[in-house]
Structures are given as structure tokens and as C-alpha cells.
């Protein structure tokens, strides 16, 4: 299948692709669909390509990152590529020791907990982002009319890996630092905002048509902590991309109560996890925000007779929002049968 | 320090202890306080006692379980003991292979996923609960006027361990089964409700003055899934204890959106995690439900100058509810300095 056979509409020049139109609040002919973590372990062609290559090395090898980004677009006919990377890539590019431990996640050489630790964080040399720019340019050249979404972690989630030293259940040390040492917290979150903002801006400048900020762990925060101690830095991270005039999406898990506050950092589209029905999410956002989501990843292993009505329900509730891009309510689980994802794309594209 | 020196009020006969009065919706002279996981790894006397004894074996040795339950009451002067046990104890007592793997949690010998797996789950012989009854009786005898809270896991959380085979981040396999195989789901949740209900009833019949149902993972569910596919079994689990006329508390993590549905299963008190301010939680519950919570466990490592205003804020917001029992918003983290907990108890008891 060619990359765009399913979207004759987008071949017309000057009309933005369906994804971008939906992100802008329009209702294109078909509802666009893509999947968080569509590029990755659920695809045999990805697992084959990754053999013998470390995760962060793969992200920093332009040909590899580009090919991995393209794989799910080719296979599923989704309406967007999402740049294959990792939220700690800008941390690594700034020269901080971090690796991805398989089955565990990002692990730091040294946790960042004291004022001195924070002061020692090195600046990110803009030239260090060259492999990212190169990978994006390679990808965009091959995607044709299919848009590429740029990818970055939000400062809080990034900071939580730095402070905890790795993945954690409830970000206890991070949240303690947030209250106990507000000066170090401000300095750390500012550093995170600067590097992750530069990372996202580099992708957009190199040709990405949209950007998504992932604040995966924001759901561990009260609305007050999020609003007062986190949101300003997410807003700061988006500063360098705002001038680039591409639609921005914001997503976190377990963030139902945070949806309005996460929207207020200055994004166009809110991603919604599987817990909150889209009509409910739209109500919480005043009925004025395009939504992305929110098929329950747990149902990807259910029979089609169970999954189909669920996808239909997601589409129907999505009509409550001004515009809707179908996605999962979280990333594709690694053991997902990829043919199920392809079937969802076909179903969504044929749904009226 | 004797067990009750700090509560002269409760020595008067016929007046229930402050905890029970608060659970019943009254405002006793001092605000009662206890901590989830107060019995356990934060205490050096616990770690000493546990050396060489497996977790579930400790739970099933009456003298040990009783002594561990008493340790934090003696040390901190809290207003309640919480029975030291584990939510998988009734699973083990029914004869299902399960152990607690240190640093990981409950791990099943065989995951329960098919209709046949569920059909093979053995009934729980009431006599198997004798070590629990004995431990509770021993404990209550030593607690005097300090009430003991019985402890049990809710059917959904229990089932998630059985289905996943161990701890999991988002209960994907469990939630898939819930939708894909509703008959097995109903049978499994009914089994879980029966064994966990019998476990809690045994504790109350043996002398516990209240009961708390822990639905730790309910926060991974949408309100619809919780209400339709989980709540009826939590209600069923409480069936045998309802007749015993003790106050019942219900708690889960990340369950802000579920508070009304969790209250509706038929409990007296709602436990609230650290994410939702108590005045907000009380509003969601119509202003009529006694609340328990919700000091942020992350702040237990903060300086007292940061922790104290937080505890004060929790107490002040708790006034929005008809009654308030102070607790953490989740369990005591294992590395907590126990002197901080004692200081919180003293502060809460002296707060006016």
C-alpha cells in the first residue's frame, strides 16, 4: 500500500491534511486516526530493525529514527507519523548520563536532587539537535502529504525521571522537592522546559506539522500543584514553538481533573486517556477544544465484536467536541497484534 | 507511653472512641488520626520482628500479626490500629498459590484468565480464617479502648492480581477480561467478593470496631466500568459485614472521579487520596459523608516548616465534611522517618 492511497482528498494541494484540519477545529471528510507509540514494539519490522541497537542510539541515528517513524504509517495507513524518539533525548543531548533500561525505562546515571545538582545541569548546545533535525527532514521527505507530529516530554515528567533517577509510581521525591526546595524546583523545571522546548522546536523547524507534549505523570498531581508549580513551565516549554504556528496537542494519563489546566498552558488540542468519555471531556473544556483519543488500550486484546462497539462509542462521543482525532487512551501496549490497529484505522476511516 | 494516655476522654465507658464517633459523623473533642500502612516497614521494630519470616507467614501467625498491629499504636499514639494483613490473605487461605515477592508485591503461581481457571478457584473454608480471628482477638484484648480497623481488598483489586498474575500498571489484561468474557468476570468477581467479605467479617466478628475496603487499583477505571462492572461486587463483599453494624470506610488511589460511585456501594466513610482537597471531595459527595485523609505522603520527607502548613490545610479543608479522620492520601512510604508520623499525631491532636 502506498503511504496515501486511503486519502485521495489530501492530494489536492493547498488543503491541509485531515489531521491538521481536525487539530485546527474542522471536521474533515474522514475522522483522522493515529496511535500513540504506533512506532515501536508492537511491530515485528520494528523489533527486527532494533536488534543490536540501544534505544537512545536508535533515536539518534537519523536513518533508523526515520525508518521506525515511517513503519506504522506504511502498515496501518494512519493519518500521521509521530516522530520516533524518547522524552529523555534532550537530556542525553545536553550531556547528562541517561539510558533506557529494557523493561524498566529511563535510568539516570546520577539523580538530580540538590541545588548543586540542578546548578550543574549543562546547557543544551543547539547543534546537538542536528541528528533530530536530520531525522525529521528525512522522514518528512518520505511522508509526502501525511503530516509528522513532533514529540516531546513536558518539564514535570522529564524532571520526575531526573529527580527519582528512573521511573517511579507516584513521583514522591519529585513532589517533595517541589514543595521543600522551590528555588531548585524552579531552576530544574526551567532547565527542563528549555531543553524540551528546543527539542520540539527543532522537529517543527525541520518539517513536523504539529507537536505533542507528553506529561505522562501529571496525573499524580493535585490541580493546585499542577497549576501553581508545573503549568508555568509547560507553557515556557511551548514558547519557542508558538511562533512556528503549528497545532499543539497536550496529553497525560489519569489527567481527567487536570484537562482545563493542561489546556490553559496554551495548546490547541487535548489528548484524553481512556478513563474519561470524550463527551464528558469536551464538557469540562467548555465544548470548544478539539479532542484526541481515547480507545481503551485494554480492549485491543478483546474480540472485534467487543472492540468495534467501543470504537464506535468513542467516535460517537467525539462528536460532542468541535473536532476529533481518534487515538488510544494511552500508548500501544507492546504485545498488541498490529492487525488490530490496521482494522481500527479502516473502521474509523469508513465510519460515517 | 501507655496505649491510651493521650485520650482521657475515651476512658469514660459507653462513649465510643473518637475514631468511631467521627466515622459515625460526629465531631469528637480531638480529630482522630491514623495512617494507612502505619504497621510495617517504616518502623525499625517491625523490620526487626520480620527478619527471617515471609510476609504472608507473618500475617498468618497470630502473635506476630497482633504485635505488628500494635507497634504503631504504641509508638505514635494513633487513634486506631489497622489489622496487619495483606489483601491476598483470603486467596492464600482458599488454597490458591500466591506469595509476596519483596520489592514487587503479590505474585500468583498461576494467573487466572480462562473460564476454567475461574471455575477451578476453590471455596474458602470458614475454618481457614481461624488464625485471623485469633490474631484479631489477641490484638483487641491489648488495644483496650483504642479501636481496631479491619482490613480487606476490594474484589476488583484482588481480581487484578489474580488475572495479571502480579502487580501491573494499568490492569490491561484484567480490564480486557471484564469486557471480553463477562461471564468469567462475574464468576471471578463473585468469588473475590465472597472470600474478601468473609475475611473482613471474620475480623469484625472477632472484635474489630470498623472495616476498611481497599480498592487500590479502581483508579484505572472509567466511571462507567466501575459502576457497571465493579461496584456491584464491592457491594456484595460488604454484604456479610453490613449486619455487624460497624462503620465501613472505602479507599482507592486516583479515585477522585469515582468518589460518589465508591460511596454508593454502601459505606459510611470515604477515604480520599492526596490529589483531591477534602473540601472539594466533600462537595462531590454532597457534603454529607465523613471523610478520611489526605496528607500527601510526598511531604513526609519535607521539612516540618513545609509539612505543618500542609497538615493544617488538610485539617481546615476537612471542616467542610460532616466529620474528618486524618490519614495520609496513600500508605506510609517504607522509608518514612517514623518520628515525623508521631509529630503529625501530636499536631493533629492539639489542633483546634
Amino acid at each position: 500500500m502506498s503511504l496515501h492511497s486511503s486519502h485521495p482528498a489530501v492530494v489536492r494541494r493547498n488543503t491541509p491534511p485531515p489531521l491538521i484540519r481536525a487539530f485546527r477545529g474542522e471536521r474533515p471528510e474522514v475522522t483522522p486516526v493515529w496511535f500513540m507509540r504506533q512506532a515501536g514494539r508492537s511491530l515485528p519490522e520494528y523489533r527486527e530493525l532494533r536488534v543490536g541497537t540501544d534505544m537512545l542510539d536508535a533515536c539518534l541515528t537519523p536513518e533508523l529514527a526515520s525508518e521506525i517513524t515511517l513503519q506504522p504509517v506504511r502498515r496501518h495507513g494512519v493519518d500521521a507519523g509521530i516522530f520516533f524518539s524518547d522524552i529523555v533525548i534532550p537530556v542525553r543531548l545536553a550531556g547528562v548520563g541517561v539510558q533506557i533500561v529494557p523493561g524498566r525505562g529511563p535510568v539516570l546515571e546520577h539523580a538530580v536532587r540538590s541545588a548543586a545538582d540542578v546548578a550543574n545541569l549543562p546547557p543544551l548546545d543547539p547543534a546537538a539537535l542536528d541528528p533530530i533535525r536530520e531525522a525529521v527532514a528525512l522522514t518528512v521527505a518520505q511522508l509526502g502529504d501525511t503530516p509528522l507530529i513532533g514529540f516531546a516530554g513536558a518539564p514535570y515528567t522529564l524532571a520526575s525521571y531526573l529527580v527519582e533517577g528512573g521511573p517511579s509510581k507516584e513521583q514522591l521525591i519529585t513532589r517533595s522537592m517541589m514543595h521543600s526546595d522551590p528555588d531548585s524546583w524552579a531552576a530544574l523545571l526551567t532547565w527542563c522546559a528549555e531543553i524540551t522546548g528546543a527539542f520540539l522546536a527543532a522537529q517543527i523547524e525541520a518539517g513536523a506539522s504539529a507537536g505533542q507534549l507528553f506529561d505522562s505523570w501529571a496525573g499524580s498531581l493535585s490541580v493546585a500543584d499542577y497549576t501553581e508549580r508545573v503549568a508555568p513551565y509547560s507553557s515556557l516549554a511551548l514558547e519557542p514553538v508558538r511562533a512556528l504556528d503549528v497545532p499543539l496537542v497536550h496529553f497525560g494519563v489519569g489527567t481527567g481533573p487536570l484537562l482545563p489546566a493542561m489546556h490553559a498552558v496554551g495548546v490547541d488540542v487535548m489528548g484524553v486517556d481512556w478513563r474519561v468519555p470524550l463527551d464528558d471531556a469536551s464538557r469540562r473544556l467548555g465544548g470548544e477544544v478539539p479532542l484526541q483519543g481515547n480507545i481503551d488500550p485494554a480492549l485491543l486484546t478483546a474480540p472485534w465484536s467487543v472492540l468495534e462497539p467501543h470504537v464506535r462509542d468513542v467516535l460517537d462521543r467525539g462528536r460532542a467536541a468541535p473536532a476529533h482525532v481518534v487515538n488510544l487512551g494511552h500508548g500501544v501496549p507492546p504485545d498488541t497484534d498490529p492487525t488490530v490497529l490496521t482494522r481500527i484505522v479502516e473502521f474509523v476511516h469508513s465510519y460515517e
Side-chain angles (χ1 to χ4, degrees), chain A residues 193-204:
Chain A
E194 279 166 2
I195 65 162
T196 209
F199 175 56
L200 188 56
Q203 295 169 54
I204 295 168

Side-chain angles (χ1 to χ4, degrees), chain A residues 16 33 48 84 106 122 163 169 172-173 187 190 196 237 250 254 274 280 287 292 299 308 312 327 333 348:
Chain A
V33 52
E48 197 178 310
F84 178 76
V163 175
K169 264 161 90 174
L172 289 172
I173 312 174
T190 300
T196 209
H250 203 180
W274 72 90
D280 183 3
Q292 179 174 280
L299 295 192
E308 197 235 64
R312 194 182 288 272
N327 206 313
V348 170

Side-chain angles (χ1 to χ4, degrees), chain A residues 79-93:
Chain A
D79 293 274
I82 172 93
F83 184 56
F84 178 76
S85 199
D86 191 278
I87 70 165
V88 297
I89 280 292
V91 176
R92 156 76 69 97
L93 291 177

Side-chain angles (χ1 to χ4, degrees), chain A residues 123-148:
Chain A
L124 172 61
D125 176 358
L129 291 164
D130 283 345
I132 303 303
R133 295 187 184 94
E134 197 182 325
V136 168
L138 274 174
T139 309
V140 169
Q142 290 177 78
L143 276 172
D145 291 315
T146 302
L148 178 69

Side-chain angles (χ1 to χ4, degrees), chain A residues 142-225:
Chain A
Q142 290 177 78
L143 276 172
D145 291 315
T146 302
L148 178 69
I149 303 172
F151 164 98
Y156 172 68
T157 292
L158 205 51
S160 82
Y161 287 110
L162 292 164
V163 175
E164 308 284 338
S168 63
K169 264 161 90 174
E170 298 179 340
Q171 296 76 55
L172 289 172
I173 312 174
T174 312
R175 296 191 298 106
S176 180
M177 180 184 180
M178 173 190 287
H179 288 272
S180 305
D181 188 354
D183 292 343
S184 297
W185 180 252
L188 173 60
L189 274 269
T190 300
W191 184 81
C192 288
E194 279 166 2
I195 65 162
T196 209
F199 175 56
L200 188 56
Q203 295 169 54
I204 295 168
E205 284 160 355
S209 305
Q212 180 160 328
L213 196 66
F214 287 80
D215 209 350
S216 311
W217 304 134
S220 68
L221 297 166
S222 66
V223 175
D225 277 354

